[in-house]
Amino acid sequence: MAADNQGVDLARRLSHVRWLAGGTGSGKSTLSRALAERYDVLIYDGDRAERSYVSRCTEHEQPYLWALLQAPLAQKWNSRSAQETFESMPSLHGETFGFVVDDLLAMPTERAIVVDDFRTLPREVAPLLTWPEQAAFLLPTPQFRDRALRARFADTARARANWGDSDHSEALALRLARDELWDVEVRRQAAELHLPVVAIDGSRDVADLVDDLAARFRLGHPRASNRGVQRS
């Protein structure tokens, strides 16, 4: 009973948070920025916040994250299958979600916060929701993700920062295969928990998706300066 009450209290304390999660390359950051511009919400950037996890993790509490941090970049993306890479993801084992919750509890509560974080899984966030569409899981088609990640890592410096001196084309292929497995897991959990999945295939523009998410997230009216903005 105490655990149930604690969960209810945490959901209440995080009722101003909206969760935008799902697969990589699905446009979460683009949509988060658009929501922030139109609705004056704060953004919790999971990729940026991850840097602080390094000093907060321990070998005992976050063994997968600890092992990942000790391994050279090239080793992370060489000589392993997509399944092995997927199974070694710290977020799959719930190692990063506690950091996210701690960070959110330390943020202001006067404005809505949109969490932009692919690491968030449906099973983790479900107990914290006061309505199902407080979370949305974006899942891109393989074609959409392939285009997005190839464009992202066309920058050699960015590719080297992620994959070191490994074969970048091989690392990208492994990344795409690993992320497909992540999508399968997200879709499975979302279906079991009756949480919404939004397919991303490039057929809807940003303004349409922002309208959709704003309605799901109950963000109310856009800021006055943006109400007259027309779609491009």
Side-chain angles (χ1 to χ4, degrees):
M1 182 65 71
D4 291 342
N5 291 337
Q6 184 178 12
V8 170
D9 180 63
L10 193 54
R12 179 188 58 78
R13 294 176 65 189
L14 296 177
S15 61
H16 61 295
V17 175
R18 301 342 187 232
W19 304 84
L20 191 57
T24 58
S26 57
K28 295 183 298 300
S29 296
T30 298
L31 293 169
S32 295
R33 288 192 295 268
L35 285 166
E37 181 180 347
R38 290 182 58 187
Y39 293 91
D40 195 28
V41 300
L42 297 174
I43 298 175
Y44 178 85
D45 184 335
D47 287 343
R48 183 172 298 176
E50 185 185 31
R51 301 168 191 169
S52 75
Y53 304 164
V54 174
S55 61
R56 296 154 69 186
C57 78
T58 68
E59 185 175 7
H60 175 68
E61 296 291 336
Q62 293 87 21
Y64 287 92
L65 180 56
W66 184 269
L68 193 65
L69 292 171
Q70 310 312 310
L73 279 177
Q75 183 179 325
K76 299 174 187 177
W77 298 99
N78 281 343
S79 305
R80 292 200 299 176
S81 68
Q83 185 69 37
E84 290 170 330
T85 306
F86 167 68
E87 291 176 355
S88 70
M89 293 175 70
S91 46
L92 181 65
H93 303 278
E95 291 188 359
T96 57
F97 191 67
F99 294 138
V100 177
V101 171
D102 288 344
D103 289 346
L104 292 172
L105 291 173
M107 292 178 69
T109 60
E110 292 81 9
R111 293 156 63 189
I113 298 173
V114 173
V115 175
D116 165 17
D117 186 28
F118 92 93
R119 301 162 194 80
T120 298
L121 284 169
R123 70 184 176 210
E124 295 171 320
V125 77
L128 305 181
L129 303 180
T130 53
W131 73 95
E133 292 191 326
Q134 192 178 345
F137 296 88
L138 310 186
L139 293 181
T141 62
Q143 296 80 7
F144 189 93
R145 171 182 284 130
D146 186 274
R147 291 194 300 270
L149 293 195
R150 288 187 187 282
R152 180 183 302 178
F153 294 114
D155 179 351
T156 304
R158 187 169 187 176
R160 185 175 292 111
N162 279 265
W163 301 322
D165 294 324
S166 62
D167 184 313
H168 291 172
S169 61
E170 181 180 325
L172 176 58
L174 177 59
R175 167 73 178 267
L176 291 167
R178 183 208 70 174
D179 289 351
E180 285 263 357
L181 294 171
W182 179 261
D183 286 2
V184 170
E185 182 64 20
V186 170
R187 186 176 286 106
R188 181 188 67 79
Q189 291 188 23
E192 288 182 356
L193 295 164
H194 307 290
L195 295 179
V197 166
V198 180
I200 303 295
D201 60 8
S203 63
R204 303 170 67 184
D205 64 20
V206 170
D208 182 33
L209 287 165
V210 167
D211 287 345
D212 183 3
L213 291 170
R216 295 172 184 268
F217 289 164
R218 303 179 183 177
L219 294 180
H221 296 293
R223 289 193 293 183
S225 60
N226 289 316
R227 288 178 184 172
V229 175
Q230 296 182 349
R231 300 185 184 198
S232 59

